Every structure is written in structure tokens, then in C-alpha cells.
Amino acid sequence: MKQLSFPKAALALLAPATIIVVMLTSPIGCSSNNSSPIATATGNIEVGFVDTQDSVAGAFQQVVFNVTGVRVNPSTDPNVSDADPNWITIPAPTNFSAVVADVQLDLTTISGQSKVFNTAPVPAQTYNQVEILLDTTIPGDIVPVCPQAAGVGIDGCIAVPITIGNIAAGLRTTIQMIVGSNNTILLPIDITAGEIVPPTVTGGSYTVSPMIMPVAPGQNFFGVVSGSVTGQGLGGTVTAELSGTNTIISSAMTLNGQYALQLPAGQGTPGAIVYDLYASSGGSTIQAAHGISLTGGQSVTQNFAVSTQAPGSVTGTIVDACNAVPIQAATLNLLMPSVENPSAMCTTSPPDPTCVVVGTALTDDGGTYPLANLTNPFSLVPIGTYGLTVSAAGYDGIVTTAPVTAGFTPAVCTPSPPNSSTTDCSFGLSRAALSGAVSINTPPPALTDMEVLVMAEDHGTNNIENVTLATIPSGLTSISFQMNVPTMTAAGGPPVFDLIASAVDLFQGQPDPFTGHILSIVSGVAGSSAMCATVTISPPLPPLECAGHGSVTGLAINPTTSTRVRIALPDPAAPQNAVQLMETRVAPTGAKNAGMFSFCQPPADANYIVTRLENGSPVSSATIAIPTPSPIPPSPGPSPLPTPTPLVSPCPSVCSLTSTTCPGPCFNQMLPMSLPP
Amino acid sequence: MVIILLIAGGIAGCVGQTSETPNEFIPPQTSFLIVGDPGTPFNAIVSDVAQSWQLTGAVPLTIVITNNNPPVRMVASKLVGGSALLSIQILNSGILVQQVASTTDPFGTVSVQQGGTLLQLSSPANPDVRFFVKAPFSELFNGLVEDQNNAHVISSSVPSLFLFEAPQGKVDGQFTQINNLGSFDVDLIINGTVTATGTGGPTVIVKGP
């Protein structure tokens, strides 16, 4: 008889928490205790988070809470028991998984800008109490920036777990919500980190006392887009995505020809977020709207008019044009003109920027799309002519025309790039390749390795084309790699790349979110316009060396939601070329710490260049040096503060209190000037 | 209890199998959830102390290593620019999130680890045996994947990728839908080649060569 294993994964359908079991056997949002009668009428609660206090900007690189759900209770008693049977839970989005995953809420990303958590049906009634549910096993973690003084405090740019200091009090608040039948009520929750107490012993955790509260009167971080949809069939929806992308923010069912979407937006014009919307259903045409700008508290009307239309499909297979190997997870987008610009060309390369993505599909392990799923937009495309874009990391993208006809005959796309089919929308994507090596001067010790992430981006930009992971095994000082890259830039010019190699380090045995090795960079590497050709990187990537952690903080004056800050590093072999590394948003004007930003970057011989951008264009910059941290001096006794501890891996975890060669805790570098607009 | 019914179905599926094994150590399993903005493509490497697997996929995806040897680590990178969310989570006992890491950076990279410190990535699995349950989307299913010596009762949601570590001899898998949302589409992939497929439902059996 075979030995059976009871898989840990099998228990994904069963959980120790009662509430999860209930969700699997009854509709989401129903009471966690069946002793209370469940109202037959239901509405919806849309939960959003914002940190209006901007409680962590500049002091921490990340402050992350792992949220499993939000629950509401009709009781007027703020001290209603946790076990009260009338709690109704709005869980974290399941992402179609059998297990409710954690949603990581990073307060640095919601400073002055809201984020939708989830929308779920609840019994139609009045609720008064709101509580956030954090993962009790791993409530979250903090990545601090480097301490302000050399050699003092815990190392920065490492992930430190948190302990919640005020579970009973801080995560509950009183907010009255009147949920009517078939109505969607917005529940914006203001969450702040509260008191943050750093660890005092090696391997300790931060103690955080988060607080939630209603968003203060006069502050509004959501706006509403609503209107009518005429001619739409049953089950129709209106979907909102970030303008110019296929990133869906929210979707609403059309009810009696009307819809309403409550979408994140910031304060005033500086806080405006721009959306594209489209109305669709299985049996009607699609209509799209482009560039709807929304500020907090604003209501915008956008009407749609569609008509009955039979559906067709868009299918095919995407392969590598060089070797016919299927490309998995290639992205295909259907485009159509918006009502504002109905004559826009969505079938040319590049498509008109006002074209709207109205459907997305991915390829499976055989390169085939779409996956068999009746709700997939590519399986029910209204008859008409669409633009179709095909993209995959490291490959030349394709823009083509997808003429959708009725019935089961799939669209045959035109024009026909190389290796394309004449019976559907199959394509071979062209590409070239770069080959090179990553190296270190000191080989990894026995039973360890060094993993290095290599990224290729278009020269002089931060438009990354591809990424690959190379592993240097123990005893060796280098390893070769090869990665696919396009044969042309997005604008159609010859390919030139900047390469960045970054070590994927452990710190105290755990994955370190930021590297402790210097960045190895090479700029201006000419690629090949010849399909399938391989170019050897020249000059080679410099060796990676252990340097410890580092951070930079600064201030951008009078920021808006279009303000971003970028950090770059000059190529040592060609100092006139600054290789762009990372960009970050800043909290807009009105937030408590508006304009503050931080970067975790390792020490370097050259000065980093920090540039302020407005609407993507540079407006001001400053330079800053990040030196190697001072080694930890020998100590007669155990230090009470967390410091790198000895492990086999060489950097940065191998440092010990007796070592004078390993880098110690980093210390923060403050920009010498604020960045003006 | 739902789980008992599932197990009963799994045991029934074992009856009549051709292989026989003595009672031995029950192999463990490790599960990963890849969640975030649906459709976000990613590249990942998953490794335990014995083997590693490279894979490409898109959010959402459940990855299960059957017969694994902890500690185990996953390193995943987004394959798109933009601010789409990629979040990887390790499940303990298939239920509780043990570790989670997320990124919204363009081509951002995240890493999670469980069961200790994995100081080096292992050699690629050889043979590399995978069951990819890719349709119908969001269907819950249970089943059995087995080799000549061991059988693993499984339960998950579509899409799921099962990485069968160190299989002994011929492998096969039986999958049964719970909600009957549509036709199964299951691939058995050995060393990068789809060697068998199973379509239809509510139960499919996929047998290796």
C-alpha cells in the first residue's frame, strides 16, 4: 500500500480560524455566527486605506502591516466583544485562491494617497464599529533607513519584524455606515503607525502601536465617477484602470443602466489621479473613456452608450522567433479608441496614447492564450476591429490589428509579423541577447553561493527590458549569464543598454530586501539589431564587493502627485553616463511630511545623483556620497543593539563584534539641499 | 468535516494503482501563494536543500513542492515595469501565511524563506516533473499525485503548479473538481516538455510516460 501524505496544501481548504471556514461554505460577508438571523437584503462596503498623518515618511523605507481583513459591527458599543456574533468580515481579496492571502499594506505608499483594500457584500444595515484584522503570526515588518549617527542603532535597509503593542485598542474605531440594499458604501480608514519602538536586542522586533480612525472631515481621498450605460446587456460592468495601463483599480456592476465607481484620489488638483474607463458586457459593444482626472471629493459623470453585438474571440500562440520555444506569461492587450478621440489609431506602433486597454490575456506554459475561461475578455470580444499589443520581457513588442468576427472563428491578425499564423493571432517575437559574467574578488565560502540579479535597461532611462538571476557557486569568483533583450528601442532606434548587477543578500540568515554589495554597472552597451544575435557585454561588469548598507533621505519642496524622485549612479568607466536605479513618489502637499523621500542604496565610490521629476521631466538635482560604514570596533561584551552576526555567507551577515574588516551598521546621508520644483 | 470527505475521495483514487511501497516517512509539502495585481508576469526560482526549479508565470498562482526538503526559498522578479503588485507568500501547514514579501517596483524582486536558512540554491531538479493545473480558472479541486513509492493527496485552486521533487519511476495525477466550473486543463511537464495532458472533468487522470 502506498504511503499517503496529507498535504499541507490540502488544508488550504480548511483553516483553524472559524471565519475562514464560514467564508468557504457561505457567502462572503455573512455573520461569523449563524445564531443571528442574516438579513436578506445586502449592500456592499468598499474599504480603502490612507495615512493622512503621513506617519512614517523619511524615517522608514517601509512600514508594512499584513492585513487579513476588515470587520464591521452594528453595535454602538465601542467595546463590543471580539466574540460578538454580529461582526461581519470583509476579507482580503482572495486572488481566486483557496486560502485568504495577506494584503501587505505599506504605509509609505499610502501617505496622502488612498488605496482600495477590497469590496464585499454585507447585510444591508447600519454599522458603527470598524476593526482591522492583522495576521497574528506575522503582523508585519519594518525596513528602517540607516540611523542618523555612525555606528549607533540597528543596521538600516534590513527587514525587521514587528510586534503589535496595542491590539485591543488601536485597531478598532467608531465609524457609522448606513448600508442600503444594492448600494455600495465607501469606508475610508485613516491608519497611522502610531508609536514605533525599535528593538533593543539582537534579533528583536519593532513594537508598533497602530491606530485607525475615520478620515477627518474636510479631507477626502476618494472621488466618484458615475453615469449611465445605455444598451448594455445583463451582467455589464464599468471598469476603471490607471490611465495608459492595464492596471485595474476597480470595477462596478451596472444596475438599471447606472453605475458608480469610488476611486482613490488625493487632495485637490495636486492629488489628482487619472483613469481610463470602459463599459463592457458579454453581449454588447465596448465603449471606453480616456484620461478622467479625479481629485478627492470630486464627482465626475461619464456616460456610455453601447449596443448589442455578438462576440468573437482572439486566440493564438506566442513563441520565440529564434527557436520556436513557447513564451509563457507574455502579455496581450486589446486596445480601442476612446469616445474623446474616436479616430485614434490603436493599430499602429506605437498606438495613440489615448487608446484604452479593454482586455488583457496572458499566455500559458505552451505559449497559448487565452486560458480556457468563459469570463476571459479574449474569449468574448464584441465584433469589431481592435489594436492588439503583444509584449514579453526581453522581446520586441508587436502592435497589430485584430479583426474580430462572429462565432467560433478566431480573429486573424494583420499585418503578419514573422512566423505569424494565417488562421489566428499567433506570433513569433523577435529578440537578441546579451551575454556576460558577474564576478566577485572573494569566492563564496563552502556550502554557500552568491545570487546576483542582472537588469538591462534602455540607455539613459529607467525603462527595464529584462532581468535575470545568476548564481556564483562556492569556490568560484564568477559565473556567466545570458539574457534576452529587444533588437530595437521602443522608438524603433538601435538598442543600447545600461546594465546593473545587484547581489541578492541574506542578512542574519533571512532575505535582505536591499543589497549589501556595491552595485556593478556598465552603461552604453550596444545591443544587436540582428534577430537572434548575441552580443558580449563590453566592458565587463566590475566585480561586486561587500560594502554594507546605505541610505539617502531628502526633501522635495511643494510636491504634487506627479512629483517623483529618482536616484542614479555614474558609470565608473564612463562618468558622463548616469545609470538610473530607482524612482519613488513623495507624499503630496497637504500631507504631514509632504515631499520627504528615502532610498536604500549601497555605498559607492562615486556620488549618487538624486533628481526631482515633475510629470516625468527633471527639474532639479543634487549629489550625495554614501560611504562604507565604519567597522564595528571590538567590544568586551555582547552589544545590546542588533548588529550583523556571524554566518557563513560573506556579506553583510558575516560581520562579528570582533571583526574589523566587515562593514558595521550604516548611517543615513541627508541630501545637502532640498529639491525645488 | 470537508477535509475527511476529500481524503476519502483520494484514498478511493488509490485503489487499483499498480505500485506498492512499504510504509515509510510521509513526505512533506510546502506551498507558495503568488498574489497581487492579476496578470502580473513574473520569473521565479524555488529551491530547497535538494533541488531547484525555475519557472515563469503570472498572478495568481499557487505553487506546491511535494516531497520537499526544507529549508526552502523563493526569489521572484516582476517581468513588467509599472506599479503592479507582486506578492509572494509561504504557507505553513497549507493554511497560515508564514512569510510574505511584496513589491510594486518596476521589475521588482522579492524573496521569502521558510524552515531555516538556505545558504545556497540547489542544482536544477533532474528529472524536473511538474503538474500544471491551468483551467478552469478559480476552480477548487482535490486529487492525488504519485510516483512508484509515494502518493500525495492534494487540494488547491486553479491555477496551481505542483513541483514533484525526486519522483521515483513513473508519475501520474488524478484531479477532481469541487465546483464544476468547466473543463480541466492539466499538463504534465517533464524536463520542460509537456508529456501528457488531461482535459475534461469533473475528474481527469494524467499519466506520465
Side-chain angles (χ1 to χ4, degrees), chain A residues 428-439:
Chain A
L429 299 187
S430 59
R431 52 87 178 163
L434 293 177
S435 69
V438 291
S439 64

Side-chain angles (χ1 to χ4, degrees), chain A residues 1-2 7-8 104 365 449 509, chain B residues 19 21 94 102 113 121 147 153:
Chain A
M1 189 69 149
K2 276 191 184 176
K8 312 305 192 238
Q104 290 210 296
D365 55 323
D449 64 18
Chain B
S19 57
T21 62
S102 307
Q113 179 175 256
L121 300 179
D147 61 12
V153 178

Side-chain angles (χ1 to χ4, degrees), chain A residues 226-265:
Chain A
S226 61
S228 63
V229 183
T230 57
Q232 195 177 42
L234 288 176
T237 59
V238 177
T239 301
E241 55 194 17
L242 293 177
S243 185
T245 76
N246 63 355
T247 302
I248 294 175
I249 300 301
S250 187
S251 184
M253 296 281 289
T254 308
L255 189 63
N256 298 324
Q258 301 290 321
Y259 78 94
L261 283 164
Q262 298 176 104
L263 303 171

Side-chain angles (χ1 to χ4, degrees), chain A residues 111 137 159 171 175 190 219 251 259 263 266 346 372 549 577 580 585 606 665:
Chain A
S111 295
T137 305
L171 296 176
I175 304 175
D190 191 351
Q219 291 191 315
S251 184
Y259 78 94
L263 303 171
C346 300
H549 294 115
N577 294 337
Q580 298 181 17
R585 65 174 287 271

Side-chain angles (χ1 to χ4, degrees), chain A residues 51-68:
Chain A
D51 179 5
T52 66
Q53 304 296 313
D54 193 19
S55 51
V56 299
F60 300 96
Q61 190 67 20
Q62 288 177 5
V63 175
V64 174
F65 295 118
N66 297 330
V67 182
T68 62

